[in-house]
Amino acid sequence: SYVLTQPPSVSVAPGQTARITCEENNIGSKSVHWYQQKPGQAPVLVVYDDFDRPSGIPERISGSNSGNTATLTISRVEAGDEADYYCQVWDSTSDHYVFGTGTKVTVL
Amino acid sequence: QVTLRESGPALVKPTQTLTLICSFSGFSLNTRGMCVTWIRQPPGKALQWLARIDWDDDKYYTTSLKTRLSIAKDTSKNQVVLTMTNMDPVDTATFYCARNNPYSTNCDISPFDYWGQGTLVTVSS
């Protein structure tokens, strides 16, 4: 089955850059979406189709996808970026949506 | 504006059937390219996709739970109903419904652009 592997946690100081990876064989051939989830809240779409941002999402948040790794990058990290982040794709082989294992971003 | 809201019991007993309703506004499931999806999240764990229903009544289920899930829509009420049979304590989770962004008319690859606030369902005797 298709499994999207993310690092369990990423720690970053304010003002620095956080990079969250999402790994699976040939993920670069798929459209990857990213969601931010703060404690007690529903997920929020922050990047879709690898690198597009919904309206209202700051340019500090960006995405890329190539080969076996998709990456969500948060530049100039702020305290408000502290959250869990999930990648997500559609696996056409199984006709399933697949979510990543999730990454907790901690702002030091 | 688009909103979704989940409703259903907060507590169910083992072996019972869970019925959840997703009530939405701001879009119609009669519109080509529109889809609604159910996702759950056990406490402290990752998101898990459960089921999807499309504007043309196509339905998709996660394989591991396919025999226990059923999804249906009532377009007159702007609702999507999810039923899950034979509930077990391991099914304790927050259940979300979400809309697939209709920009591509292909719900397979479209992201979940609007989510409900979620409803926590606890399975316990």
Side-chain angles (χ1 to χ4, degrees), chain A:
Chain A
S1 62
Y2 208 76
V3 177
L4 300 177
T5 302
Q6 300 180 231
S9 62
V10 168
S11 297
V12 59
Q16 299 303 303
T17 298
R19 292 182 179 84
I20 305 161
T21 56
C22 175
E23 297 185 345
E24 178 53 272
N25 186 43
N26 204 27
I27 194 174
S29 66
K30 301 183 183 299
S31 290
V32 179
H33 314 306
W34 291 90
Y35 303 88
Q36 175 194 70
Q37 186 180 32
K38 296 182 178 180
Q41 298 183 19
V44 172
L45 179 68
V46 293
V47 166
Y48 66 97
D49 290 351
D50 298 338
F51 53 80
D52 286 326
R53 281 182 305 276
S55 61
I57 302 301
E59 292 183 7
R60 304 183 296 106
I61 295 178
S62 62
S64 62
N65 184 18
S66 178
N68 298 327
T69 304
T71 303
L72 181 73
T73 301
I74 309 173
S75 303
R76 301 181 298 283
V77 165
E78 305 171 353
D81 297 325
E82 194 161 276
D84 294 327
Y85 291 82
Y86 294 93
C87 56
Q88 176 254 312
V89 302
W90 170 261
D91 177 23
S92 57
T93 301
S94 61
D95 278 354
H96 274 50
Y97 292 108
V98 181
F99 285 96
T101 51
T103 298
K104 181 176 182 60
V105 170
T106 300
V107 181
L108 300 172

Side-chain angles (χ1 to χ4, degrees), chain B residues 54-109:
Chain B
D54 297 356
W55 80 99
D56 58 0
D57 213 36
D58 277 351
K59 301 167 186 177
Y60 300 82
Y61 300 98
T62 190
T63 300
S64 62
L65 296 170
K66 188 172 186 175
T67 60
R68 299 173 52 203
L69 291 173
S70 178
I71 191 170
K73 60 183 173 73
D74 185 334
T75 52
S76 66
K77 294 182 179 179
N78 279 348
Q79 291 180 339
V80 171
V81 180
L82 181 77
T83 59
M84 189 169 181
T85 62
N86 194 25
M87 293 292 285
D88 183 273
V90 300
D91 296 314
T92 293
T94 296
F95 288 75
Y96 296 99
C97 62
R99 187 188 81 157
N100 291 73
N101 186 295
Y103 72 98
S104 75
T105 72
N106 182 354
C107 291
D108 293 351
I109 60 171

